[in-house]
Amino acid sequence: MTFAGNGIGITRGIAIGEAHILQRGLLEISPRMIDTADVPAEIKRFQLAVNGARERLHEIRQKIPGNTRSDIIAFIDTHLLMMNDAALVEVPIKLIRKHAYAAEWALQLQRESLVQVFDTMDDPYLRTRKDDVEHVVNQIQMALLDLDDESNDNRSGKVILAQDLTPADTIVMRHQGIAAFITEFGGPMSHTAILARSLDIPAVVGVHSITRLLHQGETVVVDGEQGVILADADQATLAHYQQRISAAQSRATQLRNLIGKAATTREGVRVHLMANIELPEDIETTRELQADAVGLYRTEFLYMNRQGMPDEEEHYQTYRRVVEGLDGIPITIRTLDLGADKQVDGCTSYCCNPALGLRAIRLCLKEPKMFQPQLRAILRAAVHGPVRIMIPMLSNLQEVRKLKALLAETEAALSADGIPFAKDIPVGGMIEVPAAALAADAFTRELDFLSIGTNDLIQYTLAIDRVDDEVNYLYDPLHPAILRLIQMVITAGQRAGIPISMCGEMAGDPRYIPLLIGMGLREFSMQPGSLLIAKERLLQLDAAKLAKQTRRLMKRLGESDFEQLLGKICALH
Ligand code: PEP
Ligand code: MG
């Protein structure tokens, strides 16, 4: 029978593929009994699972290079020894025989009694050995449940199911050619979700318990637009989804006719449609789709899936390749926005609420040794094409001043070293903290441009963690508070005569473009895949009419006719 599940769709695409369940952390095992007649077969199943887990560990042990640290080798040897220990191998068999427990439940009970013993030990070292028990039990449980571990990487064409994925996982899996992913947790504005959209991976997040509800290898339909998941679907349903996949492909071909056409409203108001990029492959797409500029280059990519920090030369070579690859298309390089859901090795803040902690410009100003190589590299790369620099997560003017002082120092040091660099490159800031939006006029006096980061602005204004699916229902770009803040920033920019753009996900959503045009926004930056859809929408709009309607709407925020006025704006063409 068809299984249907719902979650939060975070991409436009649909995919059909085999389920591939990734298991991390402890498995949840429920009590299960078997028929007494099945006890011998169950014991056999348990013994096969132990052998399988042991073989897997042996294989890993053999593949370890000779120069590996001895403590790592000892760690694996300990686990191999534990897989021969009567406490783990024989006691569960006794439990199966005596109580007709399913093998995984018998093992789980034995795990719990062992863990309890470790918990009562006074010696802190011995207490930590509990982790070894957990690890070994997990390996055997995975073998029992026929779940895969991460060392098996044949994921091509598969639908990945996981409790959660990091942005770094998403990049690796894209290279492994996965068809789609489904996670139990995560929000649509998380960095993982943004990457999935940019990489065009159909995905649904926030589907609780999905890794336990579906089976390894079964065929799954993932509808990233509607947030729907279907398993074991009948032929007619599969044919329906195949047909939707073909329709989406035809639409993409048709949209390509807009490449090269100027981005203007119906009456000819010129609008800048810019790309958000982060991976090397985004450069090609940006050029191909003829974006007006890169409005946001997320540089955190350089820090993912690696150990240690990139040095100045690596930063420089990367930015230089990007700038040259864009062949004259202007680029705004955002300085490091590490922290919160963009954690990397060696630079992690373990505070209770990382989104409110030491992230982005706060972290960079606190760690100038980590930051300066990036600043030097950006100034050097700017010799090869038009570059602007943008500061993430500003909350006060001191941060702008400190950044500028650091830039001046960097310029002086580059001069002293005789290294070529570009002088006086424009410096802008992201408005993504409510305080910065409320004080936007002050920021316009000290910066050359502003860009509204709605992903964070909405998170901070509405007090909802962008990676938490439980509060995702509150994520509302049309909340009166958000619209007021956006309007304040646009107006501050118009008064000061500096460019204002928007680079959060709201900017690339065709539902909001008429309203933003009505508010006076003229620069939109979005993942490359949204550029043509945004252009198509823009070409239908009448900016003057929208401005009039929006002025009225802004006076009616939160009133009873608000929805109706909004509906009119979005329907205007
Ligand atoms: C934003 O917050 O809107 C933004 C563009 O930055 P990021 O999504 O990388 O935090
Ligand atoms: Mg942000």
Side-chain angles (χ1 to χ4, degrees), residues 253-302:
T253 313
Q254 182 203 340
L255 277 171
R256 292 186 74 80
N257 293 330
L258 296 178
I259 297 176
K261 202 169 165 66
T264 63
T265 60
R266 237 168 43 190
E267 80 262 51
V269 174
R270 179 76 165 96
V271 172
H272 282 82
L273 295 184
M274 311 186 285
N276 291 350
I277 68 166
E278 60 192 305
L279 303 175
E281 51 261 45
D282 294 334
I283 303 167
E284 186 56 39
T285 323
T286 304
R287 275 180 40 186
E288 209 180 296
L289 300 179
Q290 298 182 22
D292 288 310
V294 168
L296 168 65
Y297 172 28
R298 291 184 168 101
T299 52
E300 298 80 53
F301 166 70
L302 211 52

Side-chain angles (χ1 to χ4, degrees), residues 70-200:
S70 58
D71 53 338
I72 295 177
I73 298 175
F75 178 78
I76 293 181
D77 285 342
T78 310
H79 289 184
L80 274 169
L81 278 176
M82 286 172 86
M83 283 195 187
N84 289 320
D85 196 299
L88 280 177
V89 182
E90 284 166 25
V91 176
I93 293 179
K94 285 187 187 149
L95 291 173
I96 298 172
R97 200 171 277 135
K98 190 163 170 204
H99 304 287
Y101 289 152
E104 55 274 15
W105 180 237
L107 181 60
Q108 183 71 2
L109 289 177
Q110 177 59 358
R111 170 200 161 266
E112 280 164 19
S113 44
L114 287 171
V115 163
Q116 258 178 22
V117 175
F118 278 100
D119 278 342
T120 56
M121 287 178 182
D122 285 337
D123 182 333
Y125 171 74
L126 281 179
R127 281 177 62 166
T128 62
R129 302 312 301 195
K130 167 178 108 170
D131 294 345
D132 294 316
V133 175
E134 307 269 32
H135 186 88
V136 170
V137 168
N138 228 32
Q139 293 298 310
I140 304 173
Q141 300 280 32
M142 288 206 296
L144 274 170
L145 299 174
D146 203 19
L147 297 172
D148 214 336
D149 81 354
E150 299 193 21
S151 52
N152 183 349
D153 59 4
N154 181 18
R155 296 170 182 170
S156 172
K158 304 258 171 83
V159 173
I160 303 296
L161 277 77
Q163 288 181 335
D164 209 353
L165 293 175
T166 63
D169 294 329
T170 314
I171 295 170
V172 170
M173 288 184 189
R174 162 67 189 206
H175 286 292
Q176 291 169 332
I178 65 163
F181 71 76
I182 308 169
T183 60
E184 299 196 346
F185 305 105
M189 296 304 148
S190 71
H191 200 64
T192 298
I194 291 172
L195 259 173
R197 281 192 282 278
S198 157
L199 295 170
D200 231 359

